[in-house]
Amino acid sequence: MDLFDSLKSKIQGKDLKIVFPEALDERILGAAVRLYHDELLTPILLGDKEQVLEVARENGFDLTGIDIVNPHTYEEYDDMVNAFIERRKGKATEEQAREQLLEVNYFGTMLVYMDKADGLVSGAVHSTSETVRPALQIIKTRPGITRTSGAFIMLRGRGQEKYVFSDCAINPDPDAKILAEIAVESARTAKMFDIDPKVALLSFSTKGSADSPVVDKVREATSIAQEMAPEFDIDGELQFDAAFVPAVSKQKAPDSNVAGQATVFVFPELQSGNIGYKIAQRLGNFEAVGPILQGLNKPVSDLSRGSVEEDVYKTAIITANQSIQD
């Protein structure tokens, strides 16, 4: 079964609701209409109803049956303001809350927090910080996780080859503890995509072949991650060839339970992660699906501003699947 066929089958019939704050964008509307008519999930569009319907008419979209919610006229706005003030614990006055929640990403994130929606997809128009900041302030990270991170699912050959690359989107220079968290969260992401997680923490060194403070960080992160999640196969520090090529692993890391068979690749910092996934995408002809935000209590997904309708469609399917994970 194709990867996205599998993901679709997991969410059909579950009446999941995904909120789209950028409802005046035709890419969002096109994806929302497809998701609704494919009976995969219930879209919630944010914006002025007449304006949204006008954009839909201009682009030939029929929004019949799809909810359009206007923050300015939302009947439960007072309840939302009170919930926001309580969640922010003194960091916002009522006046500030009323103003801030009119911003669609904050409003949409509160719908998720208040269980009015199961997840949020934004970023076609807004920046990453504008999408992620409300999630960090309101939804927050899961217990034991201090930072969110961004993973890509790398696909080739209709999903016959699939790997997880992370962090490729969020943390410029994670310390050992955060790197360990990224490794564990990436293993959980792999399971959602039916990838058997064999997690390699990457370096320019394999098992002590080089000494450097940056190598020490990866070694320490490996130990922390193994203690955090003993149920997963996690190892490091490994060079990419040792992690991926069985013949090389036999020479460089013969005792490793990950080397030569890794499926999840954790980069030591954002520079190498971002470069690495783009090399695989452009030279290796992999499709890069993501970034998938990891570590939040409830799923929020950040689109690229260069996304097309198909990207929005697929990201919403992934977000819905995240919402049903343990």
Side-chain angles (χ1 to χ4, degrees), residues 77 84 90-102:
Y77 197 73
F84 180 76
K91 295 180 180 178
T93 65
E94 180 176 343
E95 182 180 356
Q96 290 169 332
R98 288 189 177 278
E99 181 179 349
Q100 197 161 32
L101 289 174
L102 291 176

Side-chain angles (χ1 to χ4, degrees), residues 197-255:
K198 301 280 187 181
V199 184
L201 283 88
L202 299 177
S203 176
F204 63 85
S205 169
T206 296
K207 298 297 184 180
S209 65
D211 282 318
S212 165
V214 294
V215 175
D216 292 340
K217 179 182 81 169
V218 177
R219 289 178 190 147
E220 182 182 355
T222 300
S223 296
I224 296 169
Q226 289 168 339
E227 291 178 9
M228 285 177 64
E231 68 273 22
F232 294 128
D233 290 334
I234 300 172
D235 201 13
E237 84 283 8
L238 296 169
Q239 292 164 284
F240 185 85
D241 56 353
F244 189 68
V245 182
V248 176
S249 72
K250 290 177 183 177
Q251 293 294 321
K252 292 187 173 183
D255 297 324

